[in-house]
Amino acid sequence: MERPTLQDVLRARKIIAPYLPPTPLQYSPALSDLLGAEVYLKREDLQPIGAFKVRGGVHMLLTLPASERQRGVITASTGNHGQSIAYAARLVGAQCTIVMPQGANPLKARAIRRLGAQVLYHGQVFEDAREYAERLAQDAGLRYIHAVNEPLLIAGVATETVEILEAQPDIQAIFVPVGGGSGAAGASIVAKAVNPAIRVIAVQSAQAPAAYLSWKERRLVEAPMHTFAEGLATRQGYALTQRILWDLLDDFLLVSDEEIRQAMRLYLTECRIIAEGAGAAPLAGALQARERIRGQRVALIVSGGNVPIDQVRALLTSPGA
């Protein structure tokens, strides 16, 4: 699997432009005051599916040969990746199946069905669903789309970082959430090609640290996974994204689930943004690193806004609210 280059990302941007207009990069007075930095929010929660993953899905399906689209596509997902493939499959008229683990976010599963895709449930965690999807792809002759190890997906999601740097060329640090790592890998490819001084900082839940451990140990690691934030809920590191992160990522932070919940509350109360756990993880990381970013110009990727109502209710009624 060849890693995408900046040229690949710019080509992806041209391909998806007719379908996905740029999302806003919004200055946040409240978070700037709180962090002592100049803070900008990349509003990927405003994408058609409420998450940045749609960039990768649209690029992937538009780029696949027609013969592969005609076979139908299948993938595994905890939610946002599945929405992205379902959205893109409807765009190109391809049959689509999404395999989700039992207990997946019902809001995301419902959205996938509304996009016309079939939803199947298998296993308790993402990797269970992924293995089942791979078997189904072989048995039915479907085009399997890996949720992480796909250069076309990474090139697509990396377009969000191109937009950040076009809007604010003097950004000094970009905080990105990590589950499988496509967003952080894409951000690193773009940032380092444009200006190696830009720091890309990945953030993952300490309750699902496989990507962090893989990056730190420079080998693919499996780890327990207990986070509530399904967008961060992977149990292992993935080859393509980790190779990119090993070479290009500046730093990787672990935050607790409670720190993520506090970041979700801050987005809700201070910015009027409903951010899901993965979407709020970059803010949790910036809060943890506030002394290191003081006085800097910082971008936080708000990567998703698909929050079940029970989570919103819990945020508003918990002791920390």
Side-chain angles (χ1 to χ4, degrees), residues 151-167:
L152 293 173
L153 291 181
I154 296 171
V157 300
T159 59
E160 67 184 352
T161 305
V162 173
E163 292 176 13
I164 289 172
L165 297 179
E166 284 180 336

Side-chain angles (χ1 to χ4, degrees), residues 23-182:
T23 56
L25 183 70
Q26 296 177 343
Y27 172 71
S28 173
L31 296 182
S32 295
D33 183 61
L34 181 65
L35 291 168
E38 190 175 324
V39 178
Y40 293 86
L41 307 178
K42 183 57 171 167
R43 296 293 307 277
E44 291 297 287
D45 58 306
L46 299 179
Q47 290 283 9
I49 67 164
F52 80 108
K53 293 277 191 178
V54 71
R55 296 173 180 270
V58 169
H59 181 233
M60 179 111 199
L61 268 292
L62 288 173
T63 307
L64 281 180
S67 60
E68 294 191 18
R69 295 200 298 263
Q70 288 166 4
R71 287 161 48 193
V73 298
I74 186 170
T75 192
S77 175
T78 57
N80 287 339
H81 166 68
Q83 286 192 80
S84 80
I85 299 303
Y87 181 91
R90 187 176 71 167
L91 203 63
V92 300
Q95 294 295 313
C96 179
T97 301
I98 310 297
V99 183
M100 306 182 77
Q102 299 287 346
N105 183 329
L107 180 71
K108 296 177 180 180
R110 187 164 61 248
I112 289 169
R113 290 192 189 93
R114 285 174 175 164
L115 289 167
Q118 179 185 24
V119 174
L120 302 177
Y121 292 97
H122 184 84
Q124 300 303 309
V125 297
F126 168 73
E127 277 73 20
D128 296 335
R130 176 182 58 79
E131 291 169 2
Y132 185 63
E134 290 172 357
R135 292 198 299 272
L136 287 179
Q138 281 193 331
D139 293 343
L142 302 172
R143 201 317 183 161
Y144 174 66
I145 298 174
H146 195 286
V148 183
N149 288 331
E150 295 279 5
L152 293 173
L153 291 181
I154 296 171
V157 300
T159 59
E160 67 184 352
T161 305
V162 173
E163 292 176 13
I164 289 172
L165 297 179
E166 284 180 336
Q168 281 293 338
D170 296 327
I171 286 289
Q172 296 167 276
I174 303 172
F175 285 79
V176 192
V178 171
S182 61

